[in-house]
Amino acid sequence: MSLLDVRGLGVAVPAPGAAGRDWRTLVDGVDLAIGAGESLGLVGESGSGKSMTARALLGLTPPGARITGDVVFDGRSVTGMSGRELRALRARRIAMVFQDPRAHINPVRSVGDFLTEAMVLELGRTPADAEARAVRLLADVGIPDGARRLRQYPHELSGGLLQRVMIASVLAVEPDLILADEPTTALDVTTQSEVMAILDELRRERGTAMLLITHDLALAAATCDRLAVMYAGRIVETQTSTALTATPRHPYTSGLMLSRPSIDIVVHRLPVIPGRPVAAYESGDGCAFEPRCAHAEAPCRERRPDVQELSGARVACVRAGELTLQGDA
Ligand SMILES: Nc1ncnc2c1ncn2[C@@H]1O[C@H](COP(=O)(O)OP(=O)(O)O)[C@@H](O)[C@H]1O
Ligand SMILES: [Mg+2]
């Protein structure tokens, strides 16, 4: 059994001004599974519904949202949990790393207070014990002078350091699953790879599972065991990272891979996906990617493609079986 099992997850919010009569679908029939200690990358362009999916896993959807399907964590349905049970789940078992640590760390409290609070409240450690452990955790994330850092305030730390503090705070509660939503997007390029490497190394050592949310397919492929590609609120392709980069099965996946800027190619390749991404509620009856797809044919406009199994891949494209798409050749 998986640690996390997401089945047919849907999130819809009332359309503005419609007083609950019209719904906007943001996440549509998402299936995901993450085993204990496994890492899954959830990849897609901005607006595809990645963050909303993560929020739904923790019961953090906007007020008035309609949730369908089921989220099962360690054998228990999250969708049926009370507010109190959800808070306990978020405090101990599923921890989140956000894109902008500054928005999630109280600016008027010291780094020490931030790091020790959960250890004292949730794990029942004494303040002195929690502080000693906080210093060790800071060393683990590559911050050597922990005792001094504990007395500092968030504004005294760079974005990269603060994100390491955030990672230390997540590890402090020894969660089973880390949800990392664009954890390095706000950092400069060099710091990005350092912070990602630290997060991944520490979670592997501890056997902690991870859902890594990113628009960067190359980053996700380099970090995660498996990848799920999201477009317009749906998962369009799921494969192991190795198989997906070698043999992408969905035209959108192949387009994402080919359009990313490459450091070894001086002249940037032109984006091969024309047009702009759409949200789930903006897509018509057919395949949501059809208007941007170079391989689209008449049947693609008629109905939403079902997910099919294709040599180990799960792919939602009616043409997947006949197409040979370019991967990381
Ligand atoms: N609180 C909200 N209320 C209504 N719509 C929202 C809300 N948050 C996000 N959305 C919309 O849901 C869609 C998916 O957003 P999001 O999950 O943030 O995408 P991603 O993380 O993939 O960039 C977008 O069209 C976005 O505008
Ligand atoms: Mg997002």
Side-chain angles (χ1 to χ4, degrees):
M1 194 185 60
S2 299
L3 175 67
L4 178 77
D5 221 327
V6 179
R7 298 174 201 146
L9 176 69
V11 179
V13 293
R21 287 185 304 275
D22 273 329
W23 293 88
R24 280 189 161 179
T25 301
L26 307 181
V27 174
D28 191 7
V30 163
D31 293 322
L32 290 175
I34 305 181
E38 192 192 23
S39 57
L40 176 73
L42 182 60
V43 181
E45 287 163 292
S46 176
S48 53
K50 306 181 299 295
S51 294
M52 194 56 74
T53 301
R55 292 174 62 174
L57 304 184
L58 295 168
L60 290 173
T61 43
R66 186 176 66 189
I67 315 299
T68 44
D70 207 6
V71 175
V72 178
F73 179 77
D74 200 12
R76 288 204 53 208
S77 168
V78 174
T79 13
M81 280 186 187
S82 67
R84 188 200 172 108
E85 288 170 312
L86 283 172
R87 279 190 294 279
L89 184 78
R90 295 196 291 263
R92 290 293 304 275
R93 307 211 53 198
I94 308 182
M96 199 137 182
V97 181
F98 301 93
Q99 176 172 340
D100 180 8
R102 256 178 241 289
H104 297 275
I105 297 181
N106 189 336
V108 301
R109 300 185 62 218
S110 69
V111 168
D113 286 343
F114 173 70
L115 279 176
T116 55
E117 184 178 47
M119 286 192 267
V120 173
L121 291 179
E122 301 295 335
L123 305 181
R125 291 177 183 260
T126 64
D129 182 29
E131 202 167 299
R133 190 145 183 282
V135 172
R136 284 200 299 279
L137 283 166
L138 286 177
D140 288 345
V141 297
I143 304 180
D145 46 352
R148 177 172 75 88
R149 297 293 186 186
L150 291 186
R151 293 191 302 275
Q152 290 191 307
Y153 285 82
H155 73 267
E156 299 175 76
L157 273 60
S158 69
L161 276 180
L162 211 55
Q163 194 62 303
R164 291 181 195 218
V165 169
M166 179 67 97
I167 292 168
S169 80
V170 157
L171 297 171
V173 294
E174 294 162 14
D176 303 290
L177 174 65
I178 294 174
L179 300 186
D181 191 352
E182 305 271 8
T184 61
T185 305
L187 310 176
D188 68 75
V189 180
T190 330
T191 317
Q192 272 186 14
S193 43
E194 282 168 13
V195 169
M196 198 63 238
I198 287 167
L199 173 60
D200 194 46
E201 184 187 321
L202 295 176
R203 70 121 204 125
R204 278 176 198 271
E205 278 170 19
R206 289 160 168 79
T208 312
M210 175 166 74
L211 177 66
L212 173 65
I213 294 179
T214 175
H215 63 281
D216 186 341
L217 194 148
L219 173 83
T223 312
C224 299
D225 304 314
R226 280 189 306 124
L227 300 180
V229 179
M230 195 162 195
Y231 190 79
R234 301 187 141 225
I235 305 294
V236 296
E237 171 160 7
T238 314
Q239 289 206 71
T240 65
S241 298
T242 324
L244 183 135
T245 44
T247 341
R249 297 292 187 182
H250 196 286
Y252 179 58
T253 311
S254 174
L256 274 184
M257 290 176 60
L258 297 176
S259 61
R260 75 168 187 257
S262 164
I263 31 177
D264 24 79
I265 296 172
V266 183
V267 182
H268 279 209
R269 281 184 263 196
L270 289 171
V272 292
I273 314 178
R276 68 168 187 94
V278 291
Y281 63 88
E282 296 174 301
S283 60
D285 295 334
C287 169
F289 186 59
E290 179 274 324
R292 302 174 75 193
C293 184
H295 305 279
E297 290 181 345
C300 306
R301 285 181 276 278
E302 281 154 24
R303 54 186 292 270
R304 276 256 205 282
D306 294 325
V307 174
Q308 51 171 310
E309 295 269 350
L310 193 69
S311 8
R314 287 172 58 78
V315 55
C317 171
V318 288
R319 300 204 59 206
E322 43 172 319
L323 296 175
T324 304
L325 299 167
Q326 193 180 339
D328 236 359

